[in-house]
Amino acid sequence: MIARRHLLALAGASLLPLGGTAAAQTAPLVAKAASPDGTIEVQVATDGDGRPLYSVTRLGAPVITASKLGFILTDAPKLERGFRLGAPVIRSSDETWEQPWGERRTIRNRFTEMRVPLTERGALARRMDVVFRIYEDGLGFRYEFPQQAALPRLNVGVELTEFSLAEPGEAWWIPAWEWNREEYLYNRTAIDAVGAAQTPMTVRAASGLHVSIHEAACEDYSGMNLSRAEGRRFRAALTPGLSAAAVELATPCVTPWRTLQITDTAGELVESSLILNLNEPNVLGDVGWVKPMKYVGIWWDMHLDRKTWNSGPKHGATTDYAIRHLDFAAQHGFDGVLIEGWNVGWDGEWFGTGWDYSFTRAYPDFDLERVAAHARAKGVQLISHHETGGNGHHYEQQMEAAFAQMARLGQHAVKTGYVADAGGARVTGPDGKPHLAWHEGQPMAQHHMRVIKAAAKHKVAINAHEPFKDTGLRRKYPNMITREGARGMEFSAWGQPGNPPEHEANLVFTRLLAGPMDYTPGIFGMETRSPDGIATTWAKQLALYVAIYSPLVMAADLLENYEANPGPFQFIKDVPVDWAETRVLNGEIGDYVTIARKDRNSDVWCLGSLTDEHPRVLTAPLTFLEAGRRYRAEIYRDAPDADWKTKREAIVIERREVTSADVLTLRLAPGGGQAIRFVPIGRGRRQ
Ligand code: NOJ
Ligand code: CA
């Protein structure tokens, strides 16, 4: 049910009419509205020069102080001042929707919407609406431009949207504009020491309030970064496009939502569904073919340099090795097998070029038809791999044929890849020719949309690496199932420093707020090419299956490491991949987190807890379990001497009976973790 009403509030004394000529005009308005529960309030006003400004309070305390809205255009006067605030239109909405798959089954979408019409004074009289959706746990706002003669196109040079954080505090962020795109370790600095940051950027204010700045529903726009103008004032910094304009649109058009998740605790940020709620409902209809899956693959072998993607004596993707993986998957209950290096094109310079790739032709030692037939016979999905070297232009010439071939072979998922330095991707320009581009500019956003739509036509789900950032498009296009877009486990395989023990505790409260990540956990093998190897204990590797949500999740290690360690491997076999509920039991950014999730297809619950380099003792009340029911807790915990540096493998596996009345003590080693599976024992109630 949607209730409509109008709300006007009077201007404050400091909000003067436009200087000089405007003396006779009525005083400007302040538009304000609050979330349905009254927690978050947004105000919009114009300053004395008609500059639109918004501010946000939570429980009456300022969160965002007066921050600018507007644009500098490349082919028309800027949209920045001289605006008159019109009467805001306010409505509220409360509905519950169901995810086809996800971290929870149902999501409540309850918000107050305030549309603030802004009209330029003077001859042009251009119109720009700013639409706010205000939730209990934050807000989103976007610009909407009606079609208008005075603004036929919106060619954005600079988006002037600001985020002035009211309180000092700390920020967790990765740098923008660097060569390795999103694959950086998180910085933890004072808010006023942030440089140019990517989003999500998460801050913890001095009062303890948590705020994460990101965006939602970016389909046809450049990705937003944040550049610190001064103090705690940040401005949107759009990723460049192909011309002087970062964004080129024709009116009518809308921008993505600029989002602020605002909560008391770090855990509530993770529980927030704001980004998904701001996206549109599923447009693909029945998506039963999009299947959450656990998968193994011919992958870690290459990262350890035991095998190669390219042809030759070490070629990984051979028919025999593929069949070995398919048989292993079938035997151990995995749904998918990823095989990288199956297709021709890896022999030359593929990194950042991609011209040689065929997405339909296999290497001669990989019998695609036979491997695909074996997969079908075993009931295992053969996950395809389309590394493009960042060359979206080249990929688009072939993707239709590639997806059609996949459909014919019964393949419903592909891992795409865009390995190229920032600014070194390739897209088709307006002239039909390839142009170098940024991974998160508008042309790449458009490329990814073409891929998502072409894949959907052939019932193919996408796991994109080196992707465009996640802005929640999986709600509208559920075949955009997961992606990378951060430093994955692979960094700990290479001959350079890998991911430090705090990395995952950072990811959960930053990158993961955007959406699922294909982090590729489950590494037991002790040797990598990195000096520190894998900086977690084995128990923490297991905890990652619960803590880092991804509907496609890999058991990333070599098969022999699983065969040699059936004890801990059992958790990877048992852990569900599609969830009915998610609860964060505790957590602090970069330090630790404990998450419990309920299986979508049974009454099983799982818990994953992890810490950074510090050992910790955490408590986990089991109140999420069904009251009165008995459960067998299958516990995979760090042994007393476990340590990521010296004894990663020291794990204790034990069982005990628990109920919702129990409170578990979780002892986590340095770089450690704990994973638990709770299996109901009959229906009986304990007396
Ligand atoms: C980088 C991806 O993250 C990795 O998973 C993949 O194996 C390589 N590119 C090759 O495509
Ligand atoms: Ca990568």
Side-chain angles (χ1 to χ4, degrees), residues 448-610:
H448 285 288
M449 288 316 304
R450 288 192 287 271
V451 175
I452 290 170
K453 287 175 185 170
K457 234 173 49 196
H458 295 285
K459 298 192 162 55
V460 169
I462 296 165
N463 166 12
H465 279 231
E466 302 78 40
F468 197 96
K469 69 165 91 167
D470 198 335
T471 61
L473 291 183
R474 65 188 159 124
R475 180 174 181 197
K476 187 171 176 188
Y477 306 99
N479 69 321
M480 186 57 246
I481 188 164
T482 194
R483 72 187 78 205
E484 188 193 43
R487 271 172 76 114
M489 188 71 74
E490 61 194 19
F491 275 79
S492 296
W494 304 338
Q496 60 183 50
N499 296 329
E502 69 166 18
H503 186 53
E504 296 88 355
N506 282 326
L507 285 177
V508 168
F509 300 103
T510 51
R511 159 68 184 82
L512 268 289
L513 300 181
M517 177 180 175
D518 185 28
Y519 186 65
T520 66
I523 303 296
F524 298 156
M526 308 301 281
E527 294 295 321
T528 75
R529 295 186 287 145
S530 290
D532 280 333
I534 304 285
T536 79
T537 64
W538 284 12
K540 178 165 169 180
Q541 285 293 314
L542 301 182
L544 295 175
Y545 285 87
V546 186
I548 295 200
Y549 171 62
S550 184
L552 287 189
V553 65
M554 191 171 199
D557 207 343
L558 307 175
L559 303 186
E560 57 259 40
N561 287 334
Y562 293 137
E563 285 162 338
N565 297 289
F569 183 45
Q570 191 61 42
F571 182 80
I572 302 178
K573 288 166 67 166
D574 289 339
V575 68
V577 68
D578 197 13
W579 308 100
E581 274 191 61
T582 286
R583 310 255 176 92
V584 183
L585 307 189
N586 53 47
E588 288 294 349
I589 313 169
D591 296 339
Y592 63 93
V593 67
T594 306
I595 300 183
R597 304 190 200 263
K598 180 175 179 293
D599 183 18
R600 238 207 208 212
N601 303 305
S602 75
D603 287 340
V604 164
W605 279 84
C606 286
L607 176 151
S609 184
L610 57 87

Side-chain angles (χ1 to χ4, degrees), residues 29-73:
L29 297 166
V30 175
K32 49 175 164 176
S35 56
D37 71 336
T39 304
I40 307 252
E41 189 177 278
V42 173
Q43 289 204 17
V44 182
T46 48
D47 72 5
D49 288 332
R51 285 194 185 85
L53 304 164
Y54 78 99
S55 55
V56 179
T57 58
R58 182 174 187 274
L59 300 172
V63 179
I64 299 288
T65 55
S67 295
K68 277 190 210 163
L69 299 160
F71 297 88
I72 290 177
L73 305 177

Side-chain angles (χ1 to χ4, degrees), residues 312-446:
K314 281 167 64 181
H315 187 215
T318 64
T319 305
D320 286 350
Y321 206 37
I323 285 178
R324 154 107 164 104
H325 279 74
L326 288 166
D327 290 346
F328 179 94
Q331 185 192 342
H332 294 284
F334 287 86
D335 312 293
V337 172
L338 166 74
I339 294 170
E340 297 200 357
W342 68 275
N343 59 322
V344 299
W346 293 90
D347 291 308
E349 184 54 57
W350 61 269
F351 183 104
T353 57
W355 292 110
D356 297 339
Y357 282 122
S358 164
F359 300 102
T360 50
R361 228 155 27 90
Y363 274 122
D365 55 350
F366 185 79
D367 185 340
L368 176 61
E369 299 288 334
R370 195 178 140 211
V371 172
H374 194 77
R376 289 195 300 274
K378 291 277 175 181
V380 174
Q381 273 289 312
L382 179 64
I383 301 173
S384 198
H385 183 230
H386 296 166
E387 173 57 62
T388 68
N391 196 332
H393 170 80
H394 180 66
Y395 187 37
E396 285 189 36
Q397 321 298 309
Q398 295 185 37
M399 68 181 175
E400 183 59 37
F403 294 141
Q405 174 171 289
M406 285 179 60
R408 179 176 65 75
L409 296 173
Q411 298 181 268
H412 290 293
V414 63
K415 171 175 168 180
T416 58
Y418 293 85
V419 176
D421 284 2
R426 284 183 173 81
V427 290
T428 310
D431 56 1
K433 298 198 175 117
H435 290 262
L436 288 165
W438 290 76
H439 282 71
E440 293 194 341
Q442 184 189 22
M444 275 304 263
Q446 294 167 342

Side-chain angles (χ1 to χ4, degrees), residues 66 134 166 170 251 295 346 399 425 554 637:
I134 314 165
E170 286 182 298
T251 60
Y295 69 99
W346 293 90
M399 68 181 175
M554 191 171 199
R637 64 176 170 84

Side-chain angles (χ1 to χ4, degrees), residues 591-646:
D591 296 339
Y592 63 93
V593 67
T594 306
I595 300 183
R597 304 190 200 263
K598 180 175 179 293
D599 183 18
R600 238 207 208 212
N601 303 305
S602 75
D603 287 340
V604 164
W605 279 84
C606 286
L607 176 151
S609 184
L610 57 87
T611 179
D612 57 6
E613 68 278 18
H614 299 293
R616 272 173 224 279
V617 180
L618 302 173
T619 50
L622 303 184
T623 45
F624 52 86
L625 297 176
E626 194 183 318
R629 208 163 174 190
R630 293 181 300 128
Y631 292 79
R632 181 179 69 245
E634 300 166 358
I635 299 173
Y636 300 75
R637 64 176 170 84
D638 290 323
D641 57 344
D643 189 304
W644 70 273
K645 273 197 174 136
T646 52

